[in-house]
Coordinates of all heavy atoms in Angstrom, one line a residue:
M1 N -21.8 5.0 -0.1 CA -20.6 5.6 0.4 C -19.5 5.5 -0.7 O -19.3 4.5 -1.3 CB -20.1 4.8 1.7 CG -18.8 5.2 2.2 SD -18.1 4.2 3.5 CE -18.9 4.9 4.9
N2 N -18.9 6.7 -0.9 CA -17.7 6.7 -1.8 C -16.5 6.0 -1.1 O -16.4 6.1 0.1 CB -17.5 8.2 -2.1 CG -16.4 8.3 -3.2 OD1 -15.2 7.9 -2.9 ND2 -16.7 9.0 -4.3
L3 N -15.7 5.4 -1.9 CA -14.6 4.7 -1.3 C -13.7 5.7 -0.6 O -13.1 5.4 0.5 CB -13.7 4.0 -2.5 CG -12.6 3.2 -2.0 CD1 -13.1 2.1 -1.0 CD2 -11.9 2.5 -3.1
D4 N -13.6 6.9 -1.1 CA -12.7 7.9 -0.4 C -13.3 8.2 1.0 O -12.5 8.7 1.9 CB -12.6 9.2 -1.2 CG -11.6 8.9 -2.4 OD1 -10.8 8.0 -2.3 OD2 -11.8 9.6 -3.4
D5 N -14.6 8.0 1.2 CA -15.2 8.3 2.5 C -14.7 7.5 3.6 O -14.8 7.9 4.8 CB -16.7 8.2 2.4 CG -17.4 9.2 1.5 OD1 -16.7 10.3 1.2 OD2 -18.5 9.0 1.0
I6 N -14.1 6.4 3.2 CA -13.6 5.4 4.3 C -12.5 6.1 5.1 O -12.3 5.8 6.3 CB -13.1 4.1 3.7 CG1 -13.0 3.0 4.8 CG2 -11.8 4.3 3.0 CD1 -12.8 1.7 4.3
F7 N -11.8 7.1 4.5 CA -10.7 7.7 5.2 C -11.2 8.6 6.4 O -10.5 9.0 7.2 CB -9.8 8.5 4.3 CG -9.0 7.5 3.4 CD1 -9.5 7.3 2.1 CD2 -7.9 6.8 3.9 CE1 -8.8 6.3 1.3 CE2 -7.3 5.9 3.1 CZ -7.7 5.7 1.8
D8 N -12.6 8.9 6.3 CA -13.2 9.6 7.4 C -13.4 8.7 8.6 O -13.7 9.2 9.7 CB -14.5 10.3 7.0 CG -14.3 11.3 5.9 OD1 -13.3 11.9 5.9 OD2 -15.3 11.6 5.2
L9 N -13.3 7.4 8.4 CA -13.6 6.4 9.4 C -12.4 5.7 9.9 O -12.5 4.7 10.6 CB -14.7 5.4 8.9 CG -16.0 6.0 8.3 CD1 -16.8 4.9 7.7 CD2 -16.7 6.7 9.4
V10 N -11.3 6.1 9.5 CA -10.0 5.4 10.0 C -9.1 6.4 10.6 O -9.1 7.6 10.4 CB -9.3 4.7 8.8 CG1 -10.3 3.7 8.2 CG2 -8.8 5.7 7.8
S11 N -8.2 5.9 11.4 CA -7.1 6.7 11.9 C -5.8 5.8 11.9 O -6.0 4.5 11.7 CB -7.4 7.2 13.4 OG -7.6 6.1 14.2
Y12 N -4.7 6.3 12.0 CA -3.5 5.5 11.9 C -2.6 5.8 13.1 O -2.5 6.9 13.6 CB -2.7 5.9 10.6 CG -3.4 5.6 9.4 CD1 -4.2 6.5 8.7 CD2 -3.3 4.4 8.8 CE1 -4.9 6.2 7.5 CE2 -3.9 4.1 7.6 CZ -4.7 5.0 7.0 OH -5.3 4.7 5.8
R13 N -1.9 4.7 13.5 CA -0.7 4.9 14.3 C 0.5 4.3 13.5 O 0.5 3.1 13.3 CB -0.8 4.1 15.7 CG 0.3 4.4 16.6 CD 0.1 3.8 18.0 NE 1.2 4.0 18.8 CZ 1.8 3.1 19.5 NH1 1.3 1.8 19.6 NH2 2.9 3.3 20.3
I14 N 1.3 5.2 13.0 CA 2.3 4.8 12.0 C 3.6 4.4 12.6 O 4.2 5.1 13.3 CB 2.5 6.0 11.0 CG1 1.2 6.3 10.3 CG2 3.6 5.6 10.0 CD1 1.2 7.6 9.5
H15 N 4.0 3.1 12.2 CA 5.3 2.6 12.7 C 6.4 3.2 11.8 O 6.2 3.6 10.7 CB 5.3 1.1 12.5 CG 6.4 0.4 13.2 ND1 7.7 0.4 12.7 CD2 6.4 -0.3 14.4 CE1 8.5 -0.3 13.5 NE2 7.7 -0.7 14.6
P16 N 7.5 3.5 12.4 CA 8.6 4.1 11.6 C 9.1 3.3 10.5 O 9.7 3.8 9.5 CB 9.7 4.4 12.7 CG 9.3 3.5 13.9 CD 7.9 3.4 13.8
E17 N 8.9 1.9 10.6 CA 9.4 1.1 9.5 C 8.2 0.6 8.7 O 7.1 0.2 9.3 CB 10.1 -0.1 10.0 CG 11.4 0.3 10.8 CD 12.4 0.9 9.8 OE1 12.5 0.4 8.7 OE2 13.2 1.8 10.3
P18 N 8.3 0.5 7.3 CA 7.1 0.0 6.5 C 6.9 -1.5 6.8 O 7.8 -2.3 7.0 CB 7.6 0.2 5.1 CG 9.1 0.4 5.2 CD 9.4 0.9 6.5
H19 N 5.6 -1.8 6.8 CA 5.2 -3.2 7.0 C 5.1 -4.0 5.7 O 5.0 -5.2 5.7 CB 3.9 -3.3 7.8 CG 2.7 -2.6 7.1 ND1 2.6 -1.2 7.0 CD2 1.7 -3.1 6.4 CE1 1.5 -0.9 6.4 NE2 1.0 -2.0 6.0
I20 N 5.2 -3.3 4.6 CA 5.3 -3.9 3.2 C 6.5 -3.4 2.6 O 6.8 -2.2 2.6 CB 4.0 -3.6 2.4 CG1 2.8 -4.0 3.2 CG2 4.1 -4.2 1.0 CD1 1.5 -3.5 2.5
V21 N 7.3 -4.3 2.0 CA 8.5 -3.9 1.3 C 8.4 -4.3 -0.1 O 8.1 -5.5 -0.4 CB 9.8 -4.6 2.0 CG1 11.0 -4.2 1.2 CG2 9.9 -4.1 3.5
V22 N 8.7 -3.4 -1.0 CA 8.6 -3.6 -2.5 C 10.0 -3.9 -3.0 O 10.9 -3.2 -2.8 CB 8.0 -2.4 -3.2 CG1 7.9 -2.7 -4.6 CG2 6.7 -2.0 -2.5
D23 N 10.1 -5.0 -3.8 CA 11.3 -5.4 -4.5 C 11.3 -4.7 -5.8 O 10.7 -5.1 -6.8 CB 11.4 -6.9 -4.7 CG 12.7 -7.3 -5.4 OD1 13.4 -6.4 -5.9 OD2 13.0 -8.5 -5.5
H24 N 11.9 -3.5 -5.9 CA 11.9 -2.7 -7.1 C 12.5 -3.4 -8.3 O 12.1 -3.1 -9.5 CB 12.5 -1.3 -6.8 CG 11.7 -0.5 -5.9 ND1 10.5 0.0 -6.1 CD2 12.0 -0.3 -4.6 CE1 10.1 0.7 -5.1 NE2 10.9 0.5 -4.1
D25 N 13.5 -4.2 -8.1 CA 14.1 -5.0 -9.2 C 13.1 -5.9 -9.9 O 13.0 -6.0 -11.1 CB 15.3 -5.8 -8.7 CG 16.5 -4.9 -8.3 OD1 16.5 -3.8 -8.8 OD2 17.3 -5.4 -7.5
T26 N 12.2 -6.5 -9.1 CA 11.2 -7.4 -9.7 C 10.1 -6.5 -10.4 O 9.7 -6.9 -11.5 CB 10.5 -8.2 -8.5 OG1 11.5 -9.0 -7.9 CG2 9.4 -9.0 -9.1
C27 N 9.8 -5.4 -9.8 CA 8.8 -4.5 -10.5 C 9.3 -4.0 -11.9 O 8.4 -3.8 -12.7 CB 8.6 -3.3 -9.6 SG 7.8 -3.6 -8.0
A28 N 10.6 -4.0 -12.1 CA 11.1 -3.5 -13.4 C 10.6 -4.4 -14.5 O 10.5 -3.9 -15.7 CB 12.6 -3.4 -13.3
S29 N 10.3 -5.6 -14.2 CA 9.8 -6.5 -15.3 C 8.3 -6.7 -15.3 O 7.8 -7.6 -16.0 CB 10.5 -7.9 -15.2 OG 10.2 -8.5 -13.9
C30 N 7.6 -5.9 -14.6 CA 6.1 -6.0 -14.5 C 5.5 -5.2 -15.6 O 5.7 -4.1 -15.8 CB 5.7 -5.5 -13.1 SG 3.9 -5.6 -12.9
S31 N 4.6 -5.9 -16.3 CA 4.0 -5.3 -17.5 C 2.7 -4.6 -17.2 O 2.2 -3.7 -17.9 CB 3.7 -6.3 -18.6 OG 2.9 -7.4 -18.1
H32 N 2.0 -5.0 -16.0 CA 0.7 -4.5 -15.8 C 0.6 -3.5 -14.6 O -0.3 -2.6 -14.6 CB -0.3 -5.6 -15.5 CG 0.2 -6.6 -14.4 ND1 0.3 -6.2 -13.1 CD2 0.6 -7.8 -14.5 CE1 0.8 -7.3 -12.4 NE2 1.0 -8.3 -13.2
R33 N 1.5 -3.5 -13.7 CA 1.6 -2.6 -12.5 C 0.2 -2.6 -11.9 O -0.3 -1.5 -11.6 CB 2.0 -1.2 -12.9 CG 3.4 -1.2 -13.5 CD 3.8 0.1 -14.2 NE 4.9 0.0 -15.0 CZ 5.3 0.7 -16.1 NH1 4.5 1.7 -16.4 NH2 6.4 0.5 -16.7
A34 N -0.4 -3.7 -11.6 CA -1.7 -3.8 -11.1 C -1.9 -3.1 -9.7 O -2.9 -2.6 -9.4 CB -2.1 -5.3 -11.0
C35 N -0.8 -3.1 -9.0 CA -0.9 -2.5 -7.7 C -1.3 -1.0 -7.7 O -2.0 -0.5 -6.9 CB 0.5 -2.6 -7.0 SG 1.8 -1.9 -7.9
T36 N -0.9 -0.3 -8.8 CA -1.2 1.1 -8.9 C -2.7 1.3 -9.2 O -3.2 2.5 -9.0 CB -0.3 1.8 -10.0 OG1 -0.7 1.2 -11.3 CG2 1.1 1.6 -9.8
F37 N -3.4 0.3 -9.7 CA -4.8 0.5 -10.0 C -5.6 -0.2 -8.9 O -6.8 0.3 -8.6 CB -5.2 -0.3 -11.3 CG -4.4 0.2 -12.5 CD1 -3.3 -0.5 -13.0 CD2 -4.7 1.4 -13.1 CE1 -2.6 -0.1 -14.1 CE2 -3.9 1.9 -14.1 CZ -2.9 1.1 -14.6
A38 N -5.1 -1.2 -8.2 CA -6.0 -2.0 -7.3 C -6.0 -1.5 -5.8 O -6.9 -1.7 -5.1 CB -5.5 -3.4 -7.3
C39 N -4.9 -0.8 -5.4 CA -4.9 -0.3 -4.0 C -5.9 0.7 -3.8 O -5.9 1.8 -4.3 CB -3.5 0.2 -3.7 SG -3.4 0.9 -2.0
P40 N -6.8 0.5 -2.8 CA -7.9 1.5 -2.6 C -7.3 2.7 -1.9 O -7.9 3.8 -1.9 CB -8.8 0.7 -1.6 CG -8.0 -0.3 -1.0 CD -7.0 -0.7 -2.0
A41 N -6.1 2.6 -1.3 CA -5.5 3.8 -0.6 C -4.5 4.5 -1.4 O -3.9 5.5 -0.9 CB -4.9 3.3 0.7
R42 N -4.4 4.1 -2.7 CA -3.4 4.7 -3.6 C -2.0 4.8 -3.0 O -1.4 5.8 -3.1 CB -3.9 6.1 -4.0 CG -5.3 6.0 -4.7 CD -5.7 7.4 -5.2 NE -7.1 7.4 -5.7 CZ -8.2 7.8 -5.0 NH1 -8.0 8.3 -3.8 NH2 -9.4 7.8 -5.5
C43 N -1.6 3.7 -2.4 CA -0.3 3.6 -1.9 C 0.8 3.5 -2.9 O 2.0 3.8 -2.7 CB -0.2 2.5 -0.8 SG -1.2 2.7 0.6
Y44 N 0.4 2.9 -4.1 CA 1.4 2.7 -5.2 C 1.2 3.7 -6.3 O 0.1 4.0 -6.7 CB 1.2 1.3 -5.7 CG 1.4 0.2 -4.8 CD1 0.4 -0.3 -3.9 CD2 2.7 -0.4 -4.7 CE1 0.6 -1.3 -3.0 CE2 2.9 -1.5 -3.8 CZ 1.9 -1.9 -2.9 OH 2.1 -2.9 -2.1
E45 N 2.3 4.2 -6.8 CA 2.2 5.2 -7.9 C 3.4 4.9 -8.8 O 4.6 4.9 -8.3 CB 2.2 6.6 -7.4 CG 2.0 7.6 -8.5 CD 1.8 9.0 -7.9 OE1 1.9 9.2 -6.7 OE2 1.7 9.9 -8.7
W46 N 3.2 4.8 -10.1 CA 4.3 4.6 -11.0 C 5.0 6.0 -11.2 O 4.3 7.0 -11.5 CB 3.8 4.1 -12.4 CG 4.9 4.0 -13.3 CD1 5.1 4.7 -14.4 CD2 6.0 3.0 -13.3 NE1 6.3 4.3 -15.1 CE2 6.8 3.3 -14.4 CE3 6.3 2.0 -12.4 CZ2 8.0 2.5 -14.6 CZ3 7.4 1.2 -12.7 CH2 8.2 1.5 -13.8
N47 N 6.3 6.0 -11.0 CA 7.1 7.2 -11.1 C 7.8 7.1 -12.4 O 8.8 6.4 -12.6 CB 8.0 7.3 -9.9 CG 8.8 8.6 -9.9 OD1 9.3 9.0 -10.9 ND2 9.0 9.1 -8.7
E48 N 7.4 7.9 -13.4 CA 8.0 7.8 -14.7 C 9.4 8.3 -14.7 O 10.2 7.7 -15.4 CB 7.1 8.7 -15.7 CG 7.3 8.4 -17.1 CD 6.8 7.0 -17.5 OE1 5.6 6.7 -17.2 OE2 7.6 6.2 -18.1
V49 N 9.7 9.3 -13.9 CA 11.1 9.8 -13.9 C 12.0 8.8 -13.3 O 13.1 8.5 -13.9 CB 11.1 11.1 -13.0 CG1 12.6 11.6 -12.9 CG2 10.2 12.2 -13.7
R50 N 11.7 8.1 -12.2 CA 12.5 7.2 -11.6 C 12.4 5.8 -12.2 O 13.2 4.9 -12.0 CB 12.2 7.1 -10.1 CG 12.4 8.4 -9.3 CD 12.0 8.3 -7.9 NE 13.0 7.6 -7.1 CZ 12.8 7.3 -5.8 NH1 11.7 7.6 -5.2 NH2 13.8 6.8 -5.1
G51 N 11.4 5.6 -13.0 CA 11.2 4.3 -13.7 C 10.9 3.2 -12.7 O 11.4 2.1 -12.9
R52 N 10.1 3.5 -11.7 CA 9.8 2.5 -10.7 C 8.5 2.9 -10.0 O 8.0 4.0 -10.1 CB 10.9 2.4 -9.6 CG 11.3 3.8 -9.0 CD 12.2 3.6 -7.8 NE 11.5 3.5 -6.6 CZ 12.1 3.5 -5.4 NH1 13.3 3.5 -5.3 NH2 11.3 3.4 -4.3
V53 N 8.0 1.9 -9.2 CA 6.8 2.2 -8.4 C 7.2 2.8 -7.1 O 8.1 2.3 -6.4 CB 6.1 0.8 -8.2 CG1 5.0 1.0 -7.1 CG2 5.4 0.3 -9.4
D54 N 6.6 3.9 -6.8 CA 6.8 4.5 -5.5 C 5.8 3.9 -4.6 O 4.6 3.7 -5.0 CB 6.7 6.0 -5.5 CG 7.8 6.7 -6.2 OD1 8.9 6.1 -6.3 OD2 7.6 7.8 -6.7
F55 N 6.1 3.7 -3.3 CA 5.2 3.1 -2.4 C 5.2 3.9 -1.1 O 6.2 4.1 -0.5 CB 5.6 1.6 -2.1 CG 4.7 1.0 -1.0 CD1 3.4 0.8 -1.2 CD2 5.3 0.5 0.2 CE1 2.6 0.2 -0.3 CE2 4.5 -0.1 1.1 CZ 3.2 -0.2 0.9
A56 N 4.0 4.2 -0.6 CA 3.9 5.0 0.6 C 3.0 4.1 1.6 O 1.8 4.0 1.3 CB 3.2 6.3 0.4
Y57 N 3.6 3.5 2.6 CA 2.9 2.6 3.4 C 1.9 3.3 4.5 O 1.1 2.6 5.1 CB 3.9 1.7 4.2 CG 4.7 2.4 5.3 CD1 4.3 2.3 6.6 CD2 5.8 3.2 5.0 CE1 5.0 2.9 7.6 CE2 6.5 3.8 6.0 CZ 6.1 3.7 7.3 OH 6.8 4.3 8.2
E58 N 2.1 4.5 4.6 CA 1.5 5.2 5.8 C 0.0 5.2 5.7 O -0.7 5.2 6.8 CB 1.9 6.7 5.9 CG 3.4 6.8 6.3 CD 4.4 6.8 5.1 OE1 4.0 6.4 4.0 OE2 5.6 7.1 5.3
S59 N -0.6 5.2 4.6 CA -2.1 5.2 4.4 C -2.7 3.8 4.1 O -3.8 3.7 3.7 CB -2.5 6.2 3.4 OG -2.0 5.9 2.1
C60 N -1.9 2.8 4.3 CA -2.3 1.4 4.0 C -3.5 1.0 4.9 O -3.5 1.3 6.1 CB -1.2 0.5 4.2 SG -1.6 -1.3 4.0
L61 N -4.5 0.4 4.2 CA -5.7 -0.1 4.9 C -5.6 -1.5 5.3 O -6.6 -2.1 5.9 CB -6.9 0.1 4.0 CG -7.3 1.6 3.7 CD1 -8.3 1.7 2.6 CD2 -7.8 2.3 4.9
E62 N -4.5 -2.2 5.0 CA -4.2 -3.5 5.4 C -5.2 -4.5 4.8 O -5.6 -5.5 5.4 CB -4.1 -3.7 6.9 CG -3.0 -2.8 7.5 CD -3.1 -2.8 9.0 OE1 -3.6 -3.7 9.7 OE2 -2.6 -1.7 9.6
C63 N -5.6 -4.2 3.6 CA -6.7 -5.0 2.9 C -6.1 -6.3 2.2 O -6.8 -7.2 1.9 CB -7.5 -4.2 1.9 SG -6.5 -3.6 0.5
G64 N -4.8 -6.2 1.8 CA -4.2 -7.4 1.2 C -4.4 -7.5 -0.3 O -3.9 -8.4 -0.9
T65 N -5.1 -6.5 -0.9 CA -5.3 -6.5 -2.3 C -4.0 -6.5 -3.1 O -3.9 -7.2 -4.1 CB -6.2 -5.3 -2.8 OG1 -7.4 -5.3 -2.0 CG2 -6.5 -5.4 -4.2
C66 N -3.1 -5.7 -2.8 CA -1.8 -5.7 -3.5 C -1.1 -7.0 -3.5 O -0.5 -7.4 -4.5 CB -0.9 -4.6 -2.9 SG -0.5 -4.7 -1.2
L67 N -1.2 -7.7 -2.4 CA -0.5 -9.1 -2.4 C -1.2 -10.0 -3.3 O -0.6 -10.8 -4.0 CB -0.6 -9.6 -1.0 CG 0.1 -10.9 -0.7 CD1 1.6 -10.7 -1.0 CD2 -0.1 -11.4 0.7
L68 N -2.5 -9.9 -3.5 CA -3.3 -10.8 -4.4 C -3.0 -10.4 -5.9 O -2.9 -11.3 -6.7 CB -4.8 -10.6 -4.1 CG -5.3 -11.2 -2.9 CD1 -6.8 -10.8 -2.7 CD2 -5.2 -12.7 -2.8
V69 N -2.9 -9.2 -6.2 CA -2.7 -8.8 -7.6 C -1.3 -8.8 -8.1 O -1.0 -8.8 -9.3 CB -3.3 -7.4 -7.9 CG1 -4.8 -7.4 -7.6 CG2 -2.6 -6.3 -7.3
C70 N -0.3 -8.9 -7.2 CA 1.1 -8.9 -7.6 C 1.5 -10.3 -7.9 O 1.8 -11.1 -7.0 CB 2.0 -8.3 -6.5 SG 3.7 -8.3 -7.0
D71 N 1.5 -10.7 -9.1 CA 1.7 -12.1 -9.5 C 3.2 -12.3 -9.7 O 3.6 -13.5 -10.1 CB 1.0 -12.4 -10.8 CG 1.2 -11.5 -11.9 OD1 2.0 -10.6 -11.8 OD2 0.6 -11.7 -13.0
L72 N 4.1 -11.4 -9.4 CA 5.5 -11.6 -9.6 C 6.2 -11.8 -8.2 O 7.4 -11.9 -8.2 CB 6.1 -10.4 -10.3 CG 5.7 -10.2 -11.8 CD1 6.5 -9.0 -12.4 CD2 6.0 -11.5 -12.6
G73 N 5.4 -11.7 -7.2 CA 6.0 -11.9 -5.8 C 6.9 -10.8 -5.4 O 7.9 -11.1 -4.7
A74 N 6.6 -9.6 -5.8 CA 7.5 -8.5 -5.5 C 7.3 -7.9 -4.1 O 8.1 -7.0 -3.7 CB 7.4 -7.4 -6.5
L75 N 6.3 -8.4 -3.4 CA 6.0 -7.8 -2.1 C 6.3 -8.7 -0.9 O 5.9 -9.9 -0.9 CB 4.5 -7.5 -2.0 CG 4.0 -6.5 -3.1 CD1 2.5 -6.3 -3.0 CD2 4.8 -5.2 -3.1
D76 N 7.1 -8.1 0.1 CA 7.2 -8.8 1.4 C 6.1 -8.1 2.2 O 6.3 -7.0 2.7 CB 8.6 -8.5 1.9 CG 8.8 -9.2 3.2 OD1 8.0 -9.9 3.7 OD2 9.9 -8.9 3.8
W77 N 5.0 -8.8 2.4 CA 3.8 -8.2 3.0 C 3.6 -8.8 4.4 O 3.6 -10.0 4.6 CB 2.6 -8.6 2.2 CG 1.4 -7.8 2.3 CD1 0.9 -6.8 1.5 CD2 0.4 -7.8 3.4 NE1 -0.3 -6.3 2.0 CE2 -0.6 -6.9 3.2 CE3 0.3 -8.6 4.6 CZ2 -1.6 -6.6 4.0 CZ3 -0.7 -8.3 5.4 CH2 -1.7 -7.4 5.1
N78 N 3.5 -7.9 5.3 CA 3.2 -8.2 6.7 C 2.3 -7.2 7.3 O 2.2 -6.0 6.8 CB 4.6 -8.1 7.6 CG 5.6 -9.1 7.0 OD1 5.6 -10.3 7.3 ND2 6.6 -8.5 6.2
Y79 N 1.6 -7.6 8.3 CA 0.8 -6.6 9.1 C 1.8 -5.8 9.9 O 2.9 -6.2 10.2 CB -0.2 -7.3 10.0 CG -1.4 -7.9 9.4 CD1 -1.6 -9.3 9.2 CD2 -2.4 -7.0 8.8 CE1 -2.7 -9.8 8.5 CE2 -3.5 -7.5 8.2 CZ -3.6 -8.9 8.1 OH -4.7 -9.4 7.4
P80 N 1.4 -4.6 10.2 CA 2.2 -3.7 11.1 C 2.4 -4.4 12.5 O 1.6 -5.2 12.9 CB 1.5 -2.4 11.2 CG 0.5 -2.4 10.1 CD 0.2 -3.8 9.8
A81 N 3.5 -4.0 13.1 CA 3.7 -4.5 14.5 C 2.5 -4.2 15.4 O 1.8 -3.2 15.1 CB 5.0 -3.9 15.1
G82 N 2.3 -4.9 16.4 CA 1.2 -4.8 17.3 C 1.0 -3.4 17.8 O 2.0 -2.7 18.3
G83 N -0.2 -2.9 17.7 CA -0.6 -1.6 18.2 C -0.4 -0.5 17.1 O -0.8 0.7 17.3
Y84 N 0.2 -0.9 16.0 CA 0.4 0.1 14.9 C -0.5 -0.2 13.7 O -1.1 -1.3 13.6 CB 1.9 0.0 14.4 CG 2.9 0.6 15.4 CD1 3.5 -0.2 16.4 CD2 3.2 2.0 15.4 CE1 4.3 0.4 17.3 CE2 4.0 2.6 16.3 CZ 4.6 1.8 17.2 OH 5.5 2.3 18.1
G85 N -0.6 0.7 12.8 CA -1.4 0.6 11.6 C -2.7 1.3 11.6 O -2.9 2.2 12.4
V86 N -3.6 0.7 10.8 CA -4.9 1.4 10.7 C -5.9 1.0 11.8 O -5.8 -0.2 12.3 CB -5.5 1.1 9.3 CG1 -5.9 -0.4 9.1 CG2 -6.7 2.0 9.0
R87 N -6.7 1.9 12.1 CA -7.8 1.6 13.1 C -9.1 2.0 12.4 O -9.2 3.2 11.9 CB -7.6 2.3 14.4 CG -6.4 1.9 15.2 CD -6.2 2.6 16.4 NE -4.9 2.3 17.0 CZ -4.5 2.7 18.2 NH1 -5.3 3.5 18.9 NH2 -3.4 2.4 18.7
F88 N -10.1 1.2 12.4 CA -11.4 1.4 11.8 C -12.4 1.7 12.9 O -12.4 1.1 14.0 CB -11.9 0.2 11.0 CG -11.0 -0.1 9.8 CD1 -9.9 -1.0 10.0 CD2 -11.2 0.4 8.6 CE1 -9.1 -1.3 9.0 CE2 -10.4 0.1 7.5 CZ -9.3 -0.8 7.7
R89 N -13.3 2.7 12.7 CA -14.4 2.9 13.6 C -15.7 2.8 12.9 O -15.7 3.1 11.7 CB -14.2 4.2 14.4 CG -14.1 5.4 13.5 CD -13.8 6.6 14.4 NE -13.5 7.8 13.6 CZ -14.4 8.6 13.0 NH1 -15.7 8.3 13.2 NH2 -14.0 9.6 12.3
A90 N -16.8 2.4 13.6 CA -18.0 2.2 12.9 C -18.7 3.5 12.4 O -19.4 3.5 11.4 CB -18.9 1.4 13.8
T91 N -18.6 4.5 13.2 CA -19.4 5.8 12.9 C -18.5 6.9 13.1 O -17.5 6.8 13.9 CB -20.7 5.9 13.7 OG1 -20.4 5.9 15.1 CG2 -21.6 4.8 13.3
Ligands
SF4_1 S1 2.1 -5.5 -9.4 FE1 3.8 -6.3 -8.1 S2 5.5 -6.5 -9.6 FE2 3.9 -5.2 -10.6 S3 4.6 -3.1 -10.1 FE3 3.1 -3.7 -8.5 S4 4.4 -4.5 -6.8 FE4 5.7 -4.4 -8.7
SF4_2 S1 -2.8 -3.8 1.7 FE1 -4.4 -2.7 0.6 S2 -4.3 -0.6 1.3 FE2 -2.4 -1.6 1.9 S3 -1.0 -1.2 0.2 FE3 -1.9 -3.2 -0.2 S4 -3.7 -2.7 -1.5 FE4 -3.1 -0.8 -0.6

């Protein structure tokens, strides 16, 4: 299975407020921007024009990888409120 195929097996109920908040001031001193490589849902993207990481929480798979690779503590990471977020199905 290709990693992108996982999106055929999930659905979302998106909360109006993001469950992960990025501290862009902290990101400004980040040399590796590991979140942009590690997130399987490609929620993080370096924006050259704005000089910051753009973050889109809507397609988050709630895997926690970004929290692990962000060694500067720039993320306020929470699961979505009850009933919201990603839903996985087996087939
Ligand atoms: S790894 Fe952390 S500090 Fe670096 S750009 Fe991503 S969120 Fe910001
Ligand atoms: S929890 Fe996983 S899917 Fe969600 S933003 Fe972080 S790395 Fe991406």
Side-chain angles (χ1 to χ4, degrees):
M1 173 188 279
N2 185 301
L3 187 57
D4 286 336
D5 292 341
I6 197 168
F7 292 100
D8 294 334
L9 302 175
V10 301
S11 61
Y12 294 93
R13 184 172 179 229
I14 298 172
H15 194 280
E17 296 295 326
H19 58 287
I20 301 171
V21 178
V22 181
D23 179 350
H24 294 288
D25 290 339
T26 300
C27 296
S29 61
C30 181
S31 59
H32 51 70
R33 298 167 195 159
C35 57
T36 64
F37 304 103
C39 174
R42 301 187 186 96
C43 295
Y44 297 86
E45 185 176 0
W46 179 251
N47 186 319
E48 199 66 53
V49 175
R50 300 177 78 185
R52 53 171 268 182
V53 167
D54 288 337
F55 175 63
Y57 71 99
E58 292 86 347
S59 58
C60 175
L61 297 167
E62 301 169 28
C63 67
T65 304
C66 54
L67 186 61
L68 289 174
V69 301
C70 180
D71 55 2
L72 295 181
L75 302 179
D76 180 7
W77 200 105
N78 300 280
Y79 285 107
Y84 288 91
V86 67
R87 293 177 189 188
F88 298 89
R89 57 185 170 83
T91 56

